[in-house]
Amino acid sequence: MAKTNAAFMSGIPELVVLRLLSRSEMYGYELIRAIRLTSGESIVLAEGVVYPTLHGLEQRGLLKAKEKLVKGRLRVYYQTTAKGKKRLVELENDWHRINNGVEAILRRVVCQN
Amino acid sequence: MSELNWQDLRVGMLKNGVAPKYARRTILELKSHFAELESRAIDEGLSEIAAQKRARKEIGDEATILNEVLSKPELRSIPSKFPRTFFLVTPTLSLLFTFGITLLLLLMSYESGNAIESGNELAAWQKLPVQAWFLASCYLLVPCYALVTIAIAKERFINPFWPAAGIVIMVFLGSSWAYTLDWPTAESAGAFSMNWGYSYFPRALRGDHDLQNYLQIVVTLTAAVVFWRMYDPLRRKLIN
């Protein structure tokens, strides 16, 4: 399966991760599966790159991490914090505004053609 | 090669200033993730080799992961972000602060008069904290600083220049002060004194020679060099 074009992904992992982890805590592998499933396989990342994103968000206080031993494997579970939820609202607003703007441009160009 | 080269990835992160906490966690999570991808592929009927090959493709290569980690400045450690502040400014200020506290203790003793008047013999438990403070600040603080600095620099693959400069400054500054402490007895009054200065040069250069300070410099710097060279073999031995 082709990986998602990186140029279109700026800021999206942060939004997607905060959104999914605001519902329930997940560990990396589970989160990647959730991103694939929820996006209908339209967002496909090199799976290893999700961890730096998670760690960056944790360092900024937007996520909290908890280590758990499950079936002999150490897993790190992440969940969105209150600060993360505030950031999520901002990102969602930005996303809707930009998305509406791009949609409007695309519709206009299509109509002119 | 089937799995990712975890050691190269870890060293790559540390050499580029990533905090050891995040380097360790990234490797731990990637290993666990790789094992899950591999198990899933085996469950789907792939051979072990084919499963590892697919897991490696899905997880991404070392360079992609490393670039992603390095694109997050928030994951860099403080010593690698601010080496001069961390290895030079902060320890020097801490040492000066320790001098200040010691001076304050002396002044308070002098002001109160209780500790120095004759006939006012102190109990052992009253003497102990003061003795411990002087001993630690005079003889233990700088060697401990040197050892901790070396461990921090080695663990983070930091260029040795700033840590070495910090250790040299701390050793010279730390060995430049000395104190004398005479406790009061029934017959005589007590006396505290604190001297600060560079008295480690030979008599020909400065008049009188203070062997104690000279030894402090030589011993601490030698110990630091030996510890620097021994750190990696010792660490390997401890881990294995």
Side-chain angles (χ1 to χ4, degrees), chain A residues 27-97:
Chain A
Y27 66 101
Y29 180 82
E30 198 179 5
L31 178 67
I32 289 275
R33 298 272 89 80
I35 292 173
R36 275 196 177 195
L37 275 173
T38 320
S39 72
E41 305 257 341
S42 55
I43 300 178
V44 181
L45 308 163
E47 302 196 4
V49 306
V50 79
Y51 295 104
T53 303
L54 289 169
H55 299 163
L57 293 173
E58 185 202 358
Q59 176 65 20
R60 288 162 56 200
L62 305 177
L63 292 180
K64 62 180 174 193
K66 198 163 55 181
E67 291 188 7
K68 285 184 192 173
L69 197 64
V70 183
K71 294 175 197 163
R73 272 188 199 148
L74 192 66
R75 288 176 181 165
V76 184
Y77 283 80
Y78 295 90
Q79 191 163 27
T80 307
T81 60
K83 190 179 169 190
K85 283 177 182 163
K86 275 186 199 163
R87 174 76 181 142
L88 175 61
V89 172
E90 286 171 20
L91 285 171
E92 281 179 337
N93 290 339
D94 285 350
W95 172 257
H96 290 308
R97 186 172 47 78

Side-chain angles (χ1 to χ4, degrees), chain A residues 3 27-29 32-33 36 45-49 51-53 55-56 58-60 65 67 73-76 78, chain B residues 21-22 24-26 28-30 32-33 35-37 39-40 57-61 64-65 68-69 72 74-75:
Chain A
K3 300 235 159 72
Y27 66 101
Y29 180 82
I32 289 275
R33 298 272 89 80
R36 275 196 177 195
L45 308 163
E47 302 196 4
V49 306
Y51 295 104
T53 303
H55 299 163
E58 185 202 358
Q59 176 65 20
R60 288 162 56 200
E67 291 188 7
R73 272 188 199 148
L74 192 66
R75 288 176 181 165
V76 184
Y78 295 90
Chain B
K21 172 191 167 184
Y22 287 113
R24 184 194 70 85
R25 181 108 73 79
T26 302
L28 186 140
E29 290 179 293
L30 283 172
S32 169
H33 194 118
E36 299 232 24
L37 289 172
S39 303
R40 194 188 61 177
K57 196 178 167 193
E58 285 182 339
I59 209 162
D61 59 81
T64 310
I65 296 168
E68 189 62 26
V69 176
K72 313 263 180 245
E74 62 270 31
L75 300 183

Side-chain angles (χ1 to χ4, degrees), chain B:
Chain B
M1 188 180 60
S2 48
E3 284 204 19
L4 269 79
N5 191 331
W6 306 116
Q7 180 62 7
D8 280 2
L9 187 56
R10 189 184 80 87
V11 171
M13 285 190 271
L14 292 173
K15 277 188 172 169
N16 284 284
V18 174
K21 172 191 167 184
Y22 287 113
R24 184 194 70 85
R25 181 108 73 79
T26 302
I27 298 294
L28 186 140
E29 290 179 293
L30 283 172
K31 277 184 177 175
S32 169
H33 194 118
F34 190 92
E36 299 232 24
L37 289 172
E38 193 185 348
S39 303
R40 194 188 61 177
I42 288 170
D43 289 346
E44 287 174 15
L46 266 67
S47 70
E48 197 177 322
I49 293 169
Q52 285 190 343
K53 209 173 164 186
R54 191 167 93 180
R56 190 176 154 76
K57 196 178 167 193
E58 285 182 339
I59 209 162
D61 59 81
E62 290 91 340
T64 310
I65 296 168
L66 185 60
N67 284 338
E68 189 62 26
V69 176
L70 300 184
S71 72
K72 313 263 180 245
E74 62 270 31
L75 300 183
R76 289 185 63 195
S77 67
I78 292 172
S80 78
K81 268 195 228 175
F82 313 107
R84 270 170 288 191
T85 309
F86 188 84
F87 291 110
L88 296 183
V89 181
T90 311
T92 306
L93 289 179
S94 311
L95 195 61
L96 293 175
F97 180 73
T98 312
F99 291 169
I101 294 283
T102 309
L103 205 56
L104 201 68
L105 273 177
L106 293 178
L107 286 173
M108 280 164 66
S109 304
Y110 179 77
E111 289 291 326
S112 70
N114 290 333
I116 55 171
E117 277 174 11
S118 76
N120 195 4
E121 205 159 352
L122 299 177
W125 66 268
Q126 289 174 303
K127 293 177 188 173
L128 194 69
V130 180
Q131 278 171 326
W133 172 269
F134 274 104
L135 191 74
S137 58
C138 235
Y139 301 110
L140 296 178
L141 187 69
V142 174
C144 286
Y145 163 78
L147 298 186
V148 170
T149 298
I150 290 169
I152 289 173
K154 280 284 189 181
E155 287 297 317
R156 289 161 177 78
F157 294 87
I158 285 172
N159 181 321
F161 180 78
W162 291 116
I167 289 171
V168 169
I169 288 174
M170 285 286 280
V171 168
F172 275 72
L173 198 59
S175 63
S176 68
W177 71 310
Y179 76 94
T180 53
L181 195 58
D182 296 316
W183 296 106
T185 62
E187 294 81 32
S188 61
F192 288 163
S193 75
M194 189 171 138
N195 305 307
W196 188 80
Y198 296 95
S199 56
Y200 46 82
F201 292 117
R203 182 183 285 274
L205 291 176
R206 63 163 296 278
D208 64 324
H209 174 78
D210 191 336
L211 187 65
Q212 178 189 307
N213 291 1
Y214 183 74
L215 275 176
Q216 251 180 292
I217 293 174
V218 173
V219 169
T220 314
L221 285 181
T222 308
V225 172
V226 170
F227 189 60
W228 181 276
R229 296 186 73 92
M230 296 286 291
Y231 189 86
D232 292 328
L234 274 175
R235 192 180 187 280
R236 271 195 296 274
K237 217 172 196 177
L238 279 174
I239 289 171
N240 298 329

